[in-house]
């Protein structure tokens, strides 16, 4: 119990973690708020307009955008120990490293889910306010908000766990963050456009599938009709999280701590 309390304090008292939450909320809100104006200006080749529930669902789908920051949160929870030189003290206080790492994985899952819940719902509320200013805006499809909430909770928990695992494997906080950002901002979106049959099995495609929102944007090469079922996507993402977590648990027990 003392270990759990210690990990919770590390989350609450590190100001950078609150900065990550603010960044997640900010990016999600901006992504949701600007999308109606893009549709209204007719800048989307698929011809979606705000009087279509599909377009409104696409607006709210951006509420999930903050997931990119949750993986950084997980990295900082683990790699931050090595960066600030507190890893030795942490492992001396609790020599069984697998217990320490398991505690970090559990706390990361909870905090990641909470961060995504806050991010998703603040951006949804921002979307509701903005869309109220458009006379022709349709209502969202039934279940859209619930699907986004579930997708946010699950993706937040799993990606935070993956972040902790990456931090444990690479140990360098900067290297882990750069690697993750390059993948999330460059590799994953690029694959989603060029090789959707592959990308739909990767985290970005899986999270999109979990929202259960129909998105047909041929100009971006995205058609969620070809994506996995939400349950299948959730299970596969859970599988990724389990693989990363187990790998980090095994390797962390065999490596020297500097």
């Amino acid at each position: 119990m003392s270990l759990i309390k210690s990990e919770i304090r590390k989350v609450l008292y590190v100001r950078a973690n609150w900065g990550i939450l603010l960044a997640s909320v900010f990016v999600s809100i901006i992504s949701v708020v600007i999308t109606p104006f893009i549709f209204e200006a007719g800048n989307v080749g698929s011809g979606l307009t705000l009087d279509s529930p599909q377009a409104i669902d696409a607006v709210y789908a951006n509420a999930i955008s903050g997931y990119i920051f949750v993986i950084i949160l997980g990295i900082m929870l683990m790699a931050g120990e090595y960066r600030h030189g507190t890893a030795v003290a942490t492992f001396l206080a609790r020599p069984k490293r697998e217990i320490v790492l398991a505690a970090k994985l559990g706390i990361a899952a909870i905090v990641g889910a909470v961060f995504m819940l806050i991010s998703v719902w603040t951006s949804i509320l921002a979307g509701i306010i903005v869309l109220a200013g458009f006379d022709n805006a349709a209502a969202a499809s039934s279940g859209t908000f619930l699907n986004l909430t579930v997708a946010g909770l699950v993706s937040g928990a799993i990606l935070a766990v993956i972040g902790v695992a990456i931090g444990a494997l690479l140990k360098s906080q900067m290297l882990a963050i750069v690697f993750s950002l390059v993948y999330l901002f460059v590799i994953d979106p690029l694959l989603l456009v060029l090789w959707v049959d592959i990308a739909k099995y990767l985290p970005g495609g899986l999270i999109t599938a979990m929202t259960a929102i129909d998105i047909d944007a041929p100009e971006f090469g995205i058609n969620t009709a070809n994506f996995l079922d939400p349950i299948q996507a959730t299970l596969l993402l859970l599988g990724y999280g389990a693989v990363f977590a187990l790998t980090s648990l095994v390797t962390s027990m065999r490596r020297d701590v500097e």
Side-chain angles (χ1 to χ4, degrees):
M1 183 59 69
S2 60
L3 180 60
I4 299 296
K5 291 180 179 179
S6 174
E7 293 302 325
I8 292 175
R9 284 195 294 268
K10 290 176 183 178
V11 173
L12 295 177
Y13 295 154
V14 175
R15 286 179 292 180
N17 294 335
W18 296 105
I20 290 174
L21 174 59
L22 291 176
S24 176
V25 171
F26 177 76
V27 168
S28 296
I29 289 177
I30 292 298
S31 299
V32 170
V33 167
I34 66 173
T35 305
F37 296 97
I38 294 175
F39 286 145
E40 188 72 6
N43 292 330
V44 179
S46 59
L48 288 176
T49 55
L50 293 178
D51 58 356
S52 165
Q54 184 184 18
I56 301 302
D57 292 345
V59 170
Y60 287 121
N62 290 292
I64 208 76
S65 300
Y67 74 83
I68 58 177
F69 294 97
V70 178
I71 197 168
I72 297 177
L73 170 70
I75 289 171
M76 293 179 63
L77 289 178
M78 186 66 236
E81 295 271 15
Y82 298 107
R83 179 188 179 190
H84 298 292
T86 58
V88 173
T90 298
F91 289 134
L92 285 176
R94 183 72 66 166
K96 291 186 177 181
R97 298 185 190 178
E98 65 272 21
I99 295 179
V100 175
L101 187 51
K104 286 185 177 294
L105 291 168
I107 294 299
I110 295 172
V111 175
V114 172
F115 272 31
M116 279 303 294
L117 181 63
I118 295 172
S119 179
V120 167
W121 268 100
T122 51
S123 52
I124 285 176
L125 292 175
I128 292 173
I129 293 172
V130 170
L131 287 170
F134 292 88
D135 296 332
N136 61 331
S141 299
S142 175
T144 294
F145 296 156
L146 176 60
N147 292 335
L148 285 170
T149 300
V150 173
L153 288 170
V154 175
S155 64
I158 297 174
L159 290 182
V161 165
I162 291 176
V164 170
I166 293 174
L169 293 170
L170 297 182
K171 296 174 67 174
S172 169
Q173 178 172 299
M174 183 60 66
L175 178 61
I177 291 177
V178 170
F179 169 80
S180 299
L181 290 179
V182 168
Y183 175 79
L184 292 173
F185 279 109
V186 180
I187 298 176
D188 203 48
L190 192 61
L191 289 174
L192 195 60
V193 173
L194 299 178
W195 293 288
V196 67
D197 288 337
I198 296 175
K200 67 182 181 182
Y201 297 107
L202 299 177
L206 295 175
I207 294 172
T208 301
M210 287 165 58
T211 64
I213 292 176
D214 292 328
I215 300 175
D216 184 10
E219 67 275 17
F220 299 121
I222 301 175
N223 184 352
T224 55
N226 300 320
F227 282 30
L228 297 179
D229 175 88
I231 295 179
Q232 294 175 331
T234 300
L235 292 175
L236 183 53
L237 192 61
L238 283 169
Y240 282 140
V243 169
F244 272 91
L246 290 174
T247 302
S248 64
L249 283 168
V250 172
T251 58
S252 68
M253 293 183 286
R254 301 179 180 179
R255 299 168 65 185
D256 292 335
V257 178
E258 299 178 355

